[in-house]
Amino acid sequence: MMDWVWLVFYLLVILTLGMVGAKLFTWKEECLFSETLSLVVMLGTGSLGYLLFLLGLLGVRPTRWSFVVLFVVTMIPCLLFFRNWKIPINELRSGLLHITRLPFIVSTALFILLLIFQGIVLVHALGSHLYEWDAFSIWGLKAKVIVLKGIMPCPDYFGDLSLGYSHLDYPLMVPFLMAGVYGVLGHIDDQMAKLSLPVIYFGMMCLVFAFSKRRLPTPAALTITAIVMGTPVMLRWAGSGNADVPLTAFYTASVVYLLDWEEHSKWRSCVLCGMLSGFAAFTKNEGLALGAINCLVMFLLTIRSQFWRRRLSGAVLCVATFMILILPWLIWSNDIPRTMENYPTHLRFSEIIKNVSRIPIILTEFVSQVVSIWQYGLIWPILIVSAIIRWRAFCDRTTLTACSLFLLHLVTYFLIFLVTPWDVRELLSVALDRLVLHILPVGGLLIALLFSSWIKKTAPQTSV
Amino acid sequence: MLVTAVPSLLLATAVLCICVVNFHPKARSYRIGLFLLQGPEVVLTPYEQLDNLFNNQMPSGNIWVQFEGFRPELKEHKGFMAEVYFRGNYVIYPRRIYVSDSSPVVNDGKEVVKKRTLLTPALSEKLGIHWIAVFSPPQHGRIRVKVRRLR
């Protein structure tokens, strides 16, 4: 019984951190309720993992005390911000009425379908121990190291080559979130370790819905959310204890705010883009590459922009936020031995030329993923068909930006497979579905953009 | 009319497809629901055997693991050896499982097999080995192991 109380306390800390973050970034802004919810979840989970890491650098392990301190510290601004806050009953009621207005049956059915998906993820996460190989041997093991030994001074684990299979140099967002659960519980329980994962899944669901809702009628927005969040590959990994879905969530959120910056040029969007890219980089190494792509695209947005000075300042702000967040991790992890992958050292022209023969193998596998209805439903065929029919939509800068991010992401992963030191066939068979998962919600956002131009509901006017 | 009908039709097909692929008996999400209804032990038996073995039968000190009668060229044998090493090291942390000295790099299952060495008294002393577990190839899903206490 007491365990459940502590688990609720853990969720409460995520909530307060998220509410403070969301309030800071949406100060006097009109936001959709679902957008605020997604921001609360993304900032709450991301900041919790990251703050526990910063406390770890000070030699503090995740314990009940560190959670109490975090809670008290975040409650102060929370009380200040929400002094006059009342539950937005009218807003919620009108939101629900909006969802259930005609076509009533469609929206309600989709809403129930999304609830079922959330239920599957919740039950999978909390109903099973860590049983996926990567989940226990990479992320679960690190969580145990963190809660038992801390990270300062650096424990022996991070230099133990005989445990190299657990990828000693992988980032620590998910291990810290798991270690946080162990910390509040006061013991190790790898069933409850995954508590934050259904929350992150919920946040991503709200994010995709909010993005689509801003451009499309409610039933269409709910449909796009369902075809993204209900893909079998998403449901399989969301509650498994792997870091792929948290990475997908942070990365998708960073893309949403990058597109928001492109459309509305609000300063908060570039800070959020940098911050969420930083969280993605602290979740998996792929996030570092994706964060770098985001920063690059931020700079590319200055090209042919009438307000290029503002754009340039925004890009610098985004890069600065991203760098500030990842620098402590890069410095701390600098001495950890890279026993195998270390992709930056493999990304050489000579290496690419040497492995040219892999191109047909990789292309075949990528194509087989696109047509695999059992893993992705119809999301990729719909994206391709709508992109062909609505090719004129790419004249719109936002759609073009989303498409560029999508393609750059694909090219990056293609290059990773081209230079990987692992057996490429083996790696493709075990990892490709998870890597394609990272890009899946961005595919959904792209569909929303293409469909919005299709059904003539005008997207919000761009200010710059 | 056609402008809204075509995208609506596409989206409706996609949602139907998602329902079919998720709630079909072959689907992973269907199986997740099923195994949770029947109890997670349906899926987790191999790990539960290993977890119990390492936690309950060898409750203290580090463990030296040997494999007898295994043929590394067989995929299931190789997979089992890797599973013992990976799962064991996770389950008993901060204690350790060794198949060799701690210095060789073990990046994947193949290297668990390749880097195995014999245990000498000096090595046992250096690594703080308390137990030796000698595994034979599993039969009908049951793990076969002989456990010997060193100290």
Side-chain angles (χ1 to χ4, degrees):
Chain A
M1 180 61 193
M2 272 313 285
D3 278 1
W4 285 104
V5 174
W6 286 114
L7 291 174
V8 170
F9 179 59
Y10 176 90
L11 292 175
L12 203 62
V13 174
I14 289 182
L15 186 71
T16 49
L17 279 169
M19 280 169 74
V20 171
K23 191 74 190 172
L24 279 173
F25 284 107
T26 57
W27 194 265
K28 292 178 183 171
E29 295 261 352
E30 281 290 316
C31 276
L32 291 174
F33 184 60
S34 48
E35 188 185 353
T36 312
L37 267 183
S38 74
L39 208 50
V40 167
V41 170
M42 297 297 166
L43 293 178
T45 47
S47 351
L48 177 64
Y50 192 77
L51 285 172
L52 288 176
F53 167 66
L54 291 184
L55 286 174
L57 291 180
L58 299 173
V60 180
R61 278 186 288 154
T63 58
R64 282 177 191 167
W65 280 112
S66 46
F67 271 78
V68 169
V69 170
L70 280 177
F71 183 67
V72 171
V73 170
T74 46
M75 271 314 280
I76 298 166
C78 228
L79 289 174
L80 285 174
F81 286 149
F82 298 100
R83 209 168 26 182
N84 301 321
W85 191 75
K86 288 178 199 149
I87 298 171
I89 291 176
N90 289 335
E91 205 177 305
L92 281 173
R93 193 185 297 151
S94 65
L96 279 173
L97 280 175
H98 194 75
I99 284 174
T100 54
R101 202 178 290 161
L102 277 176
F104 174 81
I105 297 172
V106 176
S107 296
T108 313
L110 289 166
F111 194 69
I112 292 170
L113 191 64
L114 288 172
L115 282 180
I116 292 172
F117 293 152
Q118 179 69 54
I120 288 173
V121 174
L122 183 73
V123 172
H124 185 206
L126 301 185
S128 63
H129 294 271
L130 290 174
Y131 67 92
E132 292 281 356
W133 276 40
D134 278 7
F136 65 75
S137 59
I138 299 176
W139 312 111
L141 183 58
K142 286 186 175 60
K144 277 189 167 185
V145 173
I146 289 166
V147 78
L148 294 171
K149 304 276 171 96
I151 57 165
M152 278 308 247
C154 190
D156 294 342
Y157 162 80
F158 291 100
D160 190 336
L161 299 179
S162 64
L163 295 173
Y165 67 87
S166 67
H167 301 279
L168 309 171
D169 60 322
Y170 272 17
L172 298 176
M173 174 69 82
V174 170
F176 264 106
L177 288 173
M178 288 181 175
V181 175
Y182 300 154
V184 287
L185 286 178
H187 59 89
I188 287 168
D189 178 345
D190 73 357
Q191 198 166 338
M192 291 302 147
K194 295 176 277 174
L195 183 64
S196 58
L197 300 182
V199 180
I200 291 175
Y201 178 85
F202 173 72
M204 189 159 48
M205 191 185 276
C206 292
L207 185 78
V208 176
F209 174 72
F211 184 87
S212 309
K213 178 72 195 80
R214 273 201 256 153
R215 292 159 177 85
L216 295 164
T218 307
L222 281 168
T223 310
I224 288 175
T225 314
I227 61 176
V228 171
M229 302 311 293
T231 42
V233 76
M234 177 77 81
L235 291 177
R236 179 191 170 176
W237 295 111
S240 69
N242 278 24
D244 295 281
V245 170
L247 168 70
T248 309
F250 292 130
Y251 170 65
T252 308
S254 73
V255 169
V256 165
Y257 287 101
L258 197 158
L259 297 177
D260 196 52
W261 166 248
E262 202 291 316
E263 278 184 322
H264 304 292
S265 286
K266 289 176 188 159
W267 293 113
R268 66 152 193 162
S269 302
C270 46
V271 178
L272 275 169
C273 177
M275 198 168 172
L276 291 157
S277 302
F279 289 160
F282 188 54
T283 306
K284 273 197 101 182
N285 280 340
E286 291 92 327
L288 194 58
L290 299 178
I293 289 175
N294 282 351
C295 293
L296 174 74
V297 170
M298 272 283 192
F299 278 104
L300 290 178
L301 288 178
T302 57
I303 297 171
R304 296 183 67 187
S305 170
Q306 196 184 348
F307 302 91
W308 65 270
R309 278 200 185 87
R310 188 179 172 92
R311 288 267 184 238
L312 193 62
S313 313
V316 171
L317 194 58
C318 173
V319 174
T321 313
F322 178 62
M323 290 306 293
I324 288 168
L325 278 179
I326 60 163
L327 217 54
W329 160 247
L330 292 180
I331 294 168
W332 183 83
S333 64
N334 190 39
D335 292 334
I336 297 176
R338 271 80 177 156
T339 57
M340 185 74 170
E341 288 174 345
N342 201 9
Y343 284 107
T345 60
H346 290 285
L347 268 176
R348 295 188 308 268
F349 188 67
S350 57
E351 194 79 9
I352 292 170
I353 295 295
K354 196 178 85 183
N355 294 327
V356 162
S357 60
R358 289 179 178 183
I359 290 177
I361 303 168
I362 303 168
L363 272 179
T364 313
E365 283 297 324
F366 268 83
V367 172
S368 73
Q369 293 284 315
V370 170
V371 296
S372 170
I373 289 171
W374 288 104
Q375 278 187 297
Y376 302 96
L378 287 175
I379 189 165
W380 301 129
I382 285 192
L383 179 59
I384 293 166
V385 168
S386 48
I388 292 168
I389 297 176
R390 296 299 309 162
W391 61 273
R392 279 176 196 278
F394 293 107
C395 299
D396 170 53
R397 272 179 76 112
T398 311
T399 315
L400 189 63
T401 309
C403 184
S404 311
L405 284 164
F406 185 86
L407 293 176
L408 282 169
H409 189 151
L410 270 184
V411 169
T412 307
Y413 281 5
F414 194 88
L415 282 175
I416 286 176
F417 282 110
L418 206 55
V419 301
T420 184
W422 300 97
D423 177 69
V424 72
R425 284 178 200 276
E426 211 172 295
L427 187 67
L428 281 163
S429 71
V430 297
L432 185 57
D433 65 335
R434 278 182 285 154
L435 294 186
V436 174
L437 168 68
H438 301 164
I439 203 171
L440 190 80
V442 178
L445 305 185
L446 207 43
I447 291 176
L449 287 165
L450 291 167
F451 273 52
S452 73
S453 75
W454 201 340
I455 63 172
K456 311 282 184 193
K457 184 182 176 184
T458 45
Q461 292 298 306
T462 53
S463 60
V464 175
Chain B
M1 180 69 182
L2 195 67
V3 168
T4 51
V6 176
S8 304
L9 200 66
L10 275 175
L11 289 178
T13 317
V15 169
L16 276 178
C17 178
I18 282 292
C19 292
V20 171
V21 296
N22 275 315
F23 303 119
H24 188 276
K26 275 185 187 168
R28 178 87 179 186
S29 41
Y30 181 88
R31 293 213 309 271
I32 289 169
L34 203 65
F35 98 68
L36 288 164
L37 288 175
Q38 293 175 351
E41 65 274 10
V42 176
V43 170
L44 304 178
T45 307
Y47 293 154
E48 284 204 330
Q49 286 182 56
L50 278 178
D51 294 0
N52 285 335
L53 172 75
F54 289 127
N55 275 331
N56 302 333
Q57 290 190 40
M58 296 176 273
S60 61
N62 295 333
I63 301 166
W64 182 268
V65 165
Q66 288 175 2
F67 299 98
E68 276 183 7
F70 281 83
R71 291 163 58 195
E73 68 276 13
L74 290 179
K75 203 179 169 187
E76 58 269 35
H77 282 193
K78 200 167 61 182
F80 179 77
M81 288 191 264
E83 188 178 296
V84 168
Y85 187 71
F86 293 174
R87 184 72 189 179
N89 269 315
Y90 165 68
V91 165
I92 66 167
Y93 188 86
R95 298 189 291 134
R96 283 293 316 273
I97 281 181
Y98 292 102
V99 289
S100 67
D101 193 359
S102 60
S103 52
V105 181
V106 178
N107 276 328
D108 54 24
K110 284 177 208 152
E111 288 182 339
V112 175
V113 180
K114 217 162 45 184
K115 306 266 168 86
R116 286 177 297 159
T117 54
L118 289 173
L119 181 65
T120 61
L123 194 54
S124 166
E125 192 63 36
K126 180 186 160 195
L127 299 176
I129 302 293
H130 283 213
W131 303 86
I132 297 179
V134 184
F135 283 88
S136 302
Q139 276 184 346
H140 312 299
R142 299 299 307 171
I143 288 170
R144 298 189 303 154
V145 60
K146 285 179 199 149
V147 175
R148 186 155 58 93
R149 185 172 191 146
L150 279 189
R151 62 177 97 168

